[in-house]
Amino acid sequence: MKSLFLLIAFCLLSASASRAEDAAMPPVLKAGIIGMDAHALAWTQIINDPQACVELAEMTVVAGCAGGSSDIPKSAQQIETQVESIAKLGVEIVDSIDEL
């Protein structure tokens, strides 16, 4: 049951002081995603979209841990297909939450 809460949970990693190309730009909040079944791909696409709304434009998913729900068979199937797609969005795939 606990793993269900990890499906689309976001872990804040760090915030950069400013964007190098424009000091007036707000800091970018770097985020990590825990669990890559269910809605992980959709949320990563929304957050990392270059045309994202102002609030989301200040955040980017930079890393993710592929875990899922071991008690739900469909979870394993989703992880297999979504991890590669999420990695193609420039997200570093890590092996553990500690590494995230």
Side-chain angles (χ1 to χ4, degrees):
M1 188 67 159
K2 291 179 185 177
S3 62
L4 291 176
F5 295 107
L6 297 177
L7 294 176
I8 57 172
F10 289 92
C11 174
L12 301 179
L13 297 175
S14 66
S16 62
S18 68
R19 293 185 184 171
E21 68 272 7
D22 187 351
M25 298 285 290
V28 176
L29 184 64
K30 297 178 182 178
I33 190 164
I34 301 170
M36 293 193 184
D37 55 356
H39 304 92
L41 177 58
W43 276 111
T44 303
Q45 289 171 325
I46 290 167
I47 293 169
N48 286 7
D49 183 349
Q51 302 300 316
C53 67
V54 175
E55 293 83 4
L56 295 179
E58 298 172 3
M59 178 172 35
T60 186
V61 177
V62 297
C65 179
S69 302
S70 60
D71 56 337
I72 301 174
K74 186 163 181 147
S75 175
Q77 295 168 346
Q78 289 174 326
I79 290 170
E80 289 176 19
T81 59
Q82 293 200 105
V83 170
E84 184 177 333
S85 297
I86 291 170
K88 286 181 181 177
L89 295 173
V91 176
E92 178 186 359
I93 308 302
V94 299
D95 294 324
S96 69
I97 294 172
D98 288 336
E99 190 177 347
L100 183 67

